[in-house]
Amino acid sequence: EDYIEDDFNLSGLSSQVPYYDYALDMILDNDPPHDVLLTDQQHELLESAAEMLYGLIHARYIVTARGLSAMLEKFKNAEFGRCPRCSCEEQPCLPVGSSDVPGQSTVKIFCPKCDDIFHPRSEYQSSIDGAYFGTTFPHLLLMTYPSYRPPKNVRQYVPRVFGFKLHGSAYGNRETLSAGAPGARPGNPQGPADGAAAGIGGGNTGADAANAQ
Protein backbone atom coordinates (compact mmCIF):
# COMPACT_ATOMS: atom_id res chain seq x y z
CA GLU A 1 0.00 0.00 0.00
CA ASP A 2 2.91 2.37 0.73
CA TYR A 3 4.18 1.78 -2.79
CA ILE A 4 0.78 2.56 -4.32
CA GLU A 5 0.34 5.74 -2.30
CA ASP A 6 3.58 7.18 -3.67
CA ASP A 7 2.55 9.16 -6.76
CA PHE A 8 6.04 8.83 -8.26
CA ASN A 9 5.59 5.06 -8.59
CA LEU A 10 2.37 5.56 -10.56
CA SER A 11 3.78 8.08 -13.03
CA GLY A 12 2.29 7.67 -16.51
CA LEU A 13 -0.41 5.19 -15.55
CA SER A 14 -3.21 7.76 -15.62
CA SER A 15 -2.94 7.87 -19.42
CA GLN A 16 -3.18 4.07 -19.72
CA VAL A 17 -6.07 3.33 -17.39
CA PRO A 18 -9.61 4.71 -17.87
CA TYR A 19 -11.33 6.23 -14.83
CA TYR A 20 -7.89 6.37 -13.20
CA ASP A 21 -8.82 8.38 -10.10
CA TYR A 22 -11.87 6.24 -9.32
CA ALA A 23 -9.89 3.06 -9.95
CA LEU A 24 -7.13 4.19 -7.58
CA ASP A 25 -9.67 5.03 -4.89
CA MET A 26 -11.16 1.56 -5.29
CA ILE A 27 -7.74 -0.07 -4.88
CA LEU A 28 -6.98 1.98 -1.77
CA ASP A 29 -10.48 1.25 -0.45
CA ASN A 30 -11.34 4.95 -0.29
CA ASP A 31 -15.01 5.87 -0.15
CA PRO A 32 -16.32 7.43 -3.38
CA PRO A 33 -17.68 10.98 -3.24
CA HIS A 34 -21.19 11.08 -1.80
CA ASP A 35 -22.54 13.02 -4.77
CA VAL A 36 -21.47 10.32 -7.24
CA LEU A 37 -24.03 7.64 -8.02
CA LEU A 38 -22.90 4.79 -10.27
CA THR A 39 -25.01 2.46 -12.32
CA ASP A 40 -24.26 -1.26 -12.31
CA GLN A 41 -22.62 -0.94 -15.71
CA GLN A 42 -20.41 1.94 -14.56
CA HIS A 43 -19.46 -0.03 -11.46
CA GLU A 44 -18.35 -2.95 -13.64
CA LEU A 45 -16.26 -0.61 -15.77
CA LEU A 46 -14.60 0.80 -12.64
CA GLU A 47 -13.84 -2.69 -11.35
CA SER A 48 -12.25 -3.56 -14.67
CA ALA A 49 -10.21 -0.35 -14.61
CA ALA A 50 -9.12 -1.02 -11.02
CA GLU A 51 -7.99 -4.53 -11.98
CA MET A 52 -5.93 -3.14 -14.87
CA LEU A 53 -4.41 -0.41 -12.70
CA TYR A 54 -3.51 -2.84 -9.93
CA GLY A 55 -1.96 -5.23 -12.47
CA LEU A 56 0.21 -2.50 -14.01
CA ILE A 57 1.29 -1.34 -10.56
CA HIS A 58 2.15 -4.95 -9.74
CA ALA A 59 4.35 -5.18 -12.86
CA ARG A 60 6.28 -2.14 -11.63
CA TYR A 61 6.53 -3.28 -8.02
CA ILE A 62 7.99 -6.72 -8.74
CA VAL A 63 11.04 -5.18 -10.44
CA THR A 64 11.90 -3.10 -7.37
CA ALA A 65 14.37 -4.41 -4.78
CA ARG A 66 11.55 -5.30 -2.36
CA GLY A 67 9.46 -6.85 -5.10
CA LEU A 68 12.30 -8.99 -6.43
CA SER A 69 13.09 -10.24 -2.93
CA ALA A 70 9.47 -11.24 -2.35
CA MET A 71 9.22 -12.95 -5.74
CA LEU A 72 12.46 -14.83 -5.16
CA GLU A 73 10.88 -16.60 -2.20
CA LYS A 74 7.95 -17.64 -4.35
CA PHE A 75 10.37 -18.86 -7.03
CA LYS A 76 12.28 -20.95 -4.49
CA ASN A 77 9.00 -22.55 -3.42
CA ALA A 78 8.01 -23.23 -7.06
CA GLU A 79 4.77 -21.29 -6.58
CA PHE A 80 4.70 -20.31 -10.26
CA GLY A 81 4.86 -23.88 -11.53
CA ARG A 82 7.53 -26.14 -12.99
CA CYS A 83 8.86 -26.71 -16.49
CA PRO A 84 6.89 -29.42 -18.33
CA ARG A 85 9.99 -30.69 -20.17
CA CYS A 86 11.26 -34.02 -18.87
CA SER A 87 14.89 -33.05 -19.39
CA CYS A 88 14.47 -29.95 -17.19
CA GLU A 89 13.62 -32.22 -14.24
CA GLU A 90 10.80 -30.09 -12.81
CA GLN A 91 12.77 -26.87 -12.79
CA PRO A 92 10.79 -24.08 -11.06
CA CYS A 93 9.62 -21.38 -13.47
CA LEU A 94 8.92 -17.66 -13.36
CA PRO A 95 5.96 -15.73 -14.77
CA VAL A 96 6.55 -13.55 -17.81
CA GLY A 97 4.50 -11.50 -20.22
CA SER A 98 4.83 -11.57 -23.99
CA SER A 99 4.00 -7.85 -24.04
CA ASP A 100 4.01 -4.89 -21.67
CA VAL A 101 0.72 -3.67 -23.15
CA PRO A 102 -2.47 -4.92 -21.44
CA GLY A 103 -4.85 -7.04 -23.47
CA GLN A 104 -2.24 -8.53 -25.81
CA SER A 105 -1.74 -11.99 -24.28
CA THR A 106 -2.04 -13.93 -21.05
CA VAL A 107 0.86 -14.68 -18.73
CA LYS A 108 3.30 -17.48 -19.55
CA ILE A 109 5.88 -19.27 -17.42
CA PHE A 110 9.57 -18.98 -18.26
CA CYS A 111 11.98 -21.84 -17.60
CA PRO A 112 15.50 -20.54 -16.87
CA LYS A 113 16.95 -23.97 -17.61
CA CYS A 114 15.81 -24.32 -21.24
CA ASP A 115 15.07 -20.60 -21.87
CA ASP A 116 11.61 -21.36 -23.22
CA ILE A 117 8.11 -20.23 -22.25
CA PHE A 118 5.00 -22.34 -21.69
CA HIS A 119 1.33 -21.97 -20.86
CA PRO A 120 0.74 -22.33 -17.13
CA ARG A 121 -1.11 -25.45 -16.01
CA SER A 122 -3.30 -23.52 -13.59
CA GLU A 123 -6.53 -22.21 -15.12
CA TYR A 124 -6.38 -19.22 -12.79
CA GLN A 125 -2.87 -18.28 -13.91
CA SER A 126 -3.85 -18.76 -17.56
CA SER A 127 -6.47 -16.03 -17.23
CA ILE A 128 -4.06 -13.34 -15.95
CA ASP A 129 -2.90 -10.65 -18.35
CA GLY A 130 0.78 -11.02 -19.20
CA ALA A 131 1.35 -7.27 -18.89
CA TYR A 132 0.74 -7.58 -15.15
CA PHE A 133 4.14 -9.29 -14.92
CA GLY A 134 5.80 -7.73 -17.95
CA THR A 135 8.61 -8.85 -20.21
CA THR A 136 11.45 -7.79 -17.87
CA PHE A 137 10.74 -9.43 -14.52
CA PRO A 138 12.13 -13.00 -14.74
CA HIS A 139 15.35 -11.95 -16.45
CA LEU A 140 15.98 -9.08 -14.02
CA LEU A 141 15.40 -11.41 -11.06
CA LEU A 142 17.98 -13.91 -12.35
CA MET A 143 20.43 -11.09 -13.05
CA THR A 144 19.92 -9.79 -9.52
CA TYR A 145 20.27 -13.25 -7.96
CA PRO A 146 22.62 -15.10 -10.37
CA SER A 147 23.19 -17.97 -7.92
CA TYR A 148 19.59 -19.06 -8.52
CA ARG A 149 20.04 -19.37 -12.28
CA PRO A 150 20.28 -23.09 -13.06
CA PRO A 151 22.77 -24.59 -15.53
CA LYS A 152 21.50 -24.74 -19.09
CA ASN A 153 19.75 -27.87 -20.23
CA VAL A 154 21.94 -29.54 -22.85
CA ARG A 155 20.08 -32.83 -22.93
CA GLN A 156 17.99 -33.49 -26.01
CA TYR A 157 15.60 -36.32 -26.73
CA VAL A 158 16.90 -38.69 -29.42
CA PRO A 159 14.23 -40.61 -31.39
CA ARG A 160 15.04 -44.29 -32.00
CA VAL A 161 13.54 -47.20 -33.92
CA PHE A 162 14.44 -50.66 -32.59
CA GLY A 163 17.28 -49.07 -30.66
CA PHE A 164 18.81 -47.25 -33.64
CA LYS A 165 19.00 -43.48 -33.84
CA LEU A 166 16.96 -41.97 -36.65
CA HIS A 167 18.81 -40.00 -39.27
CA GLY A 168 17.58 -36.45 -39.68
CA SER A 169 16.26 -37.21 -43.15
CA ALA A 170 14.49 -40.46 -42.17
CA TYR A 171 10.96 -39.09 -42.53
CA GLY A 172 11.81 -37.15 -45.65
CA ASN A 173 13.32 -40.18 -47.38
CA ARG A 174 10.19 -42.21 -46.72
CA GLU A 175 8.02 -39.54 -48.30
CA THR A 176 10.41 -39.27 -51.27
CA LEU A 177 10.39 -43.02 -51.82
CA SER A 178 6.61 -43.14 -51.73
CA ALA A 179 6.32 -40.29 -54.17
CA GLY A 180 8.99 -41.71 -56.50
CA ALA A 181 7.69 -45.29 -56.74
CA PRO A 182 7.69 -46.67 -60.35
CA GLY A 183 4.49 -45.74 -62.12
CA ALA A 184 3.34 -43.52 -59.26
CA ARG A 185 1.93 -40.14 -60.15
CA PRO A 186 0.30 -37.35 -58.15
CA GLY A 187 -3.10 -38.38 -56.88
CA ASN A 188 -2.48 -42.03 -57.84
CA PRO A 189 -0.04 -43.70 -55.41
CA GLN A 190 -1.00 -47.13 -56.78
CA GLY A 191 0.35 -46.37 -60.25
CA PRO A 192 1.79 -49.83 -61.03
CA ALA A 193 -1.41 -51.64 -60.05
CA ASP A 194 -3.47 -49.24 -62.09
CA GLY A 195 -1.10 -49.69 -65.01
CA ALA A 196 -1.40 -53.47 -64.79
CA ALA A 197 -5.13 -53.19 -64.69
CA ALA A 198 -4.98 -50.96 -67.74
CA GLY A 199 -2.82 -53.55 -69.50
CA ILE A 200 -5.30 -56.34 -68.76
CA GLY A 201 -8.11 -54.18 -69.96
CA GLY A 202 -6.14 -53.36 -73.06
CA GLY A 203 -5.48 -57.05 -73.70
CA ASN A 204 -9.13 -57.90 -73.46
CA THR A 205 -9.96 -55.14 -75.84
CA GLY A 206 -7.39 -56.42 -78.30
CA ALA A 207 -8.73 -59.99 -78.07
CA ASP A 208 -12.26 -58.76 -78.63
CA ALA A 209 -11.09 -56.87 -81.68
CA ALA A 210 -9.35 -60.00 -83.05
CA ASN A 211 -12.50 -62.08 -82.49
CA ALA A 212 -14.53 -59.46 -84.27
CA GLN A 213 -12.32 -59.83 -87.28
Side-chain angles (χ1 to χ4, degrees):
E1 187 172 339
D2 294 339
Y3 182 85
I4 297 177
E5 289 178 340
D6 187 339
D7 291 338
F8 177 78
N9 297 327
L10 311 185
S11 176
L13 292 180
S14 60
S15 62
Q16 299 183 50
V17 181
Y19 312 109
Y20 173 82
D21 293 329
Y22 291 105
L24 184 59
D25 284 339
M26 184 174 289
I27 291 174
L28 296 174
D29 202 22
N30 294 333
D31 294 329
H34 295 291
D35 58 341
V36 176
L37 296 177
L38 301 176
T39 64
D40 291 341
Q41 184 178 6
Q42 289 174 326
H43 191 74
E44 289 180 4
L45 290 174
L46 286 183
E47 285 185 343
S48 178
E51 179 183 345
M52 178 187 295
L53 178 59
Y54 186 84
L56 294 175
I57 294 172
H58 177 267
R60 292 187 175 190
Y61 175 74
I62 60 176
V63 294
T64 65
R66 288 168 55 191
L68 289 170
S69 177
M71 296 295 273
L72 176 64
E73 294 303 312
K74 294 178 180 291
F75 174 55
K76 291 184 335 188
N77 295 328
E79 293 186 24
F80 303 116
R82 299 179 183 272
C83 182
R85 284 188 171 172
C86 296
S87 56
C88 286
E89 299 175 333
E90 297 191 343
Q91 165 66 41
C93 293
L94 289 162
V96 66
S98 301
S99 172
D100 293 312
V101 178
Q104 298 297 311
S105 63
T106 56
V107 69
K108 308 297 185 293
I109 56 172
F110 167 75
C111 174
K113 199 166 189 176
C114 64
D115 280 344
D116 208 348
I117 60 174
F118 306 90
H119 291 285
R121 296 179 181 178
S122 166
E123 291 185 8
Y124 169 72
Q125 292 178 345
S126 298
S127 65
I128 299 175
D129 197 306
Y132 299 166
F133 288 91
T135 58
T136 298
F137 161 68
H139 316 297
L140 183 61
L141 183 142
L142 294 170
M143 290 172 61
T144 306
Y145 302 101
S147 61
Y148 287 94
R149 185 173 183 85
K152 292 300 178 185
N153 178 12
V154 295
R155 295 169 55 193
Q156 186 174 5
Y157 172 72
V158 179
R160 298 174 183 270
V161 172
F162 300 121
F164 296 98
K165 296 181 182 179
L166 288 180
H167 191 270
S169 61
Y171 299 109
N173 286 344
R174 185 176 181 84
E175 293 174 0
T176 302
L177 288 173
S178 298
R185 56 186 183 275
N188 186 14
Q190 296 180 341
D194 291 346
I200 293 172
N204 291 341
T205 302
D208 291 343
N211 292 335
Q213 291 177 355

